[in-house]
């Protein structure tokens, strides 16, 4: 069978559902993701408005009469978005980590742990799942995956303590500053241009948000890859994070059958792992030594293209989620303002 292309989203979705227990597998980690986005958007939009008003007020106070707010509008939008995104990320980061862990592995302990942003081939998946069938969880390359958010929290705290809930936070915080800064700056610039062309309101905000989401995600995606690798390693260990080592799976994949597929389960696992693990960084799959080490080892062992694995579904998600967030925020804000103004007029 041919590999499922990363650009073939329907094929990828069907492959995941087929090998991991149906359509429910596509929503794994959705509870944590819902808490993440609710908390994140409340903090983000609330702080953005207050920070923007504060920075603009400081500028006008220093510039004096006749100052043009439009001259600094892009800079204010960037700075306000960066501050809002940074604070919102800090508040909701444990939910982000939880979402990544749930999405990185199925509930079947016999399945291998894929690296972050990995694109699978059907044959590789079938070979590994078949080779591991009947083996216990320890031989399958790790501990059983958590079934609830409470299980996740208890296990992570047992392994790493409170600091474990912020694993991968350094690249996450570094990427969120340009990501949300560019996001809000592009959104506000595009909304202003659409307004001058006669297109305004929540619809314009949603369209501008979709475009801003794609551009900003594209620019910071390598840091997002590093963040997810470190997140996966925090729970599953160095093998799961794509760092090589026995029984693990890296972010490489191959659709060709192994040459010794007839040697039994052990032979299949060994053959597939030899093909998948491309120049392991160190014997035994040493853990990453932090953000810089993770970045360097991905570049050295997997090449620059590895930083962009999974970028297409991520761009689609970013476009839809960012556009929807801006559209709903603007729609709700305008509605509440009109209701408030109406009450004032009646009074």
């Amino acid at each position: 069978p041919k590999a499922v292309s990363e650009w073939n989203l329907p094929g990828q979705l069907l492959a995941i559902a087929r090998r991991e227990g149906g359509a429910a597998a596509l929503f794994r980690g959705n509870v944590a993701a819902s808490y993440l986005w609710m908390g994140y958007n409340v903090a983000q939009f609330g702080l953005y408005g207050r920070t923007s008003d504060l920075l603009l007020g400081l500028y006008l106070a220093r510039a004096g009469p006749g100052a043009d707010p439009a001259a600094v509008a892009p800079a204010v939008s960037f700075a306000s978005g960066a501050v809002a995104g940074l604070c919102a990320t800090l508040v909701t980061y444990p939910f982000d980590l939880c979402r990544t862990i749930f999405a990185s592995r199925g509930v079947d302990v016999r399945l291998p742990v894929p690296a972050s942003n990995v694109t699978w081939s059907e044959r590789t998946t079938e070979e590994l799942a078949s080779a591991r069938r009947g083996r216990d969880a320890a031989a399958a390359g790790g501990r059983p995956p958590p079934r609830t958010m409470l299980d996740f929290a208890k296990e992570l705290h047992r392994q790493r303590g409170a600091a474990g809930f912020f694993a991968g936070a350094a690249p996450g915080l570094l990427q969120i500053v340009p990501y949300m800064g560019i996001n809000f700056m592009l959104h506000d610039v595009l909304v202003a241009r659409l307004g001058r062309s006669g297109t305004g309101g929540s619809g314009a905000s949603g369209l501008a948000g979709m475009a801003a989401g794609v551009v900003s995600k594209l620019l910071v995606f390598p840091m997002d890859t590093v963040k997810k690798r470190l997140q996966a390693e925090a729970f599953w260990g160095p093998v799961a994070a794509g760092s090589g080592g026995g029984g693990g799976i890296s972010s490489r994949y191959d659709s060709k059958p192994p040459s010794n597929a007839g040697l039994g389960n052990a032979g299949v696992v060994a053959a597939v792992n030899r093909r998948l693990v491309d120049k392991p960084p160190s014997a035994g799959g040493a853990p990453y030594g932090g953000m810089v080490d993770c970045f360097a080892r991905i570049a050295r062992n997997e090449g620059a293209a590895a930083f962009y694995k999974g970028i297409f579904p991520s761009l689609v998600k970013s476009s839809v989620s960012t556009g929807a967030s801006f559209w709903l925020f603007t729609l709700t804000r305008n509605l509440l303002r009109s209701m408030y103004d109406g009450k004032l007029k009646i009074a």
Side-chain angles (χ1 to χ4, degrees):
K2 295 181 179 179
V4 181
S5 169
E6 176 183 332
W7 305 95
N8 180 9
L9 281 182
Q12 287 282 348
L13 295 173
L14 287 173
I16 292 172
R18 184 164 57 247
R19 71 174 177 257
E20 296 184 23
L26 302 176
F27 295 90
R28 194 165 51 242
N30 192 51
V31 174
S34 297
Y35 286 131
L36 166 66
W37 282 106
M38 282 190 292
Y40 187 91
N41 281 314
V42 167
Q44 174 185 252
F45 284 110
L47 285 171
Y48 176 78
R50 292 178 179 273
T51 307
S52 180
D53 291 341
L54 175 63
L55 293 177
L56 194 57
L58 290 174
Y59 167 74
L60 293 175
R62 296 192 64 178
D68 183 12
V72 294
V76 168
S77 295
F78 182 91
S80 301
V83 170
L86 192 65
C87 295
T89 299
L90 279 171
V91 171
T92 60
Y93 191 83
F95 290 116
D96 185 19
L97 177 60
C98 183
R99 183 265 311 266
T100 297
I101 298 305
F102 272 92
S104 68
R105 186 174 183 179
V107 295
D108 189 345
V109 299
R110 299 170 300 182
L111 293 177
V113 184
S116 170
N117 299 335
V118 68
T119 303
W120 289 73
S121 71
E122 286 187 42
R123 181 176 292 279
T124 296
T125 300
E126 291 166 2
E127 287 167 355
L128 281 170
S130 175
R132 297 181 192 276
R133 191 168 293 117
R135 300 168 66 185
D136 60 22
R143 60 191 63 83
R147 293 182 177 274
T148 66
M149 290 177 62
L150 183 60
D151 289 343
F152 158 79
K154 287 180 178 178
E155 178 63 21
L156 185 60
H157 188 269
R158 185 187 67 79
Q159 293 180 53
R160 300 292 184 99
F165 292 96
F166 291 89
L173 295 175
L174 284 178
Q175 69 139 356
I176 206 66
V177 170
Y179 177 53
M180 293 315 304
I182 294 170
N183 206 334
F184 275 98
M185 182 181 69
L186 282 178
H187 169 267
D188 291 352
V189 169
L190 291 173
V191 164
R193 294 202 173 193
L194 288 171
R196 287 196 294 270
S197 66
T199 304
S202 58
S205 182
L207 291 174
M210 292 180 71
V214 170
V215 175
S216 55
K217 176 61 76 173
L218 183 63
L219 293 175
V220 304
F221 196 77
M223 292 300 293
D224 193 53
T225 298
V226 172
K227 180 191 76 171
K228 284 186 169 61
R229 291 285 181 97
L230 293 174
Q231 287 180 334
E233 183 183 71
F235 193 88
W236 300 117
V239 170
S243 58
I249 179 168
S250 78
S251 58
R252 297 281 185 184
Y253 71 92
D254 194 345
S255 62
K256 296 179 181 179
S259 58
N260 57 344
L263 298 181
N265 285 352
V268 173
V269 172
V272 173
N273 282 337
R274 279 199 299 272
R275 278 209 326 276
L276 289 173
V277 180
D278 182 28
K279 298 180 181 179
S282 61
Y288 291 123
M291 177 186 68
V292 175
D293 181 55
C294 180
F295 196 99
R297 282 161 62 173
I298 292 173
R300 181 174 65 249
N301 299 328
E302 303 172 46
F307 290 106
Y308 291 92
K309 281 188 176 294
I311 191 170
F312 180 58
S314 184
L315 290 179
V316 173
K317 171 181 173 287
S318 181
S319 175
V320 174
S321 62
T322 307
S325 295
F326 277 112
W327 171 63
L328 287 171
F329 171 76
T330 306
L331 182 67
T332 306
R333 182 192 61 189
N334 293 345
L335 177 62
L336 292 175
R337 281 180 176 174
S338 64
M339 292 173 62
Y340 181 73
D341 291 343
K343 287 184 178 180
L344 285 179
K345 290 177 181 178
I346 293 174

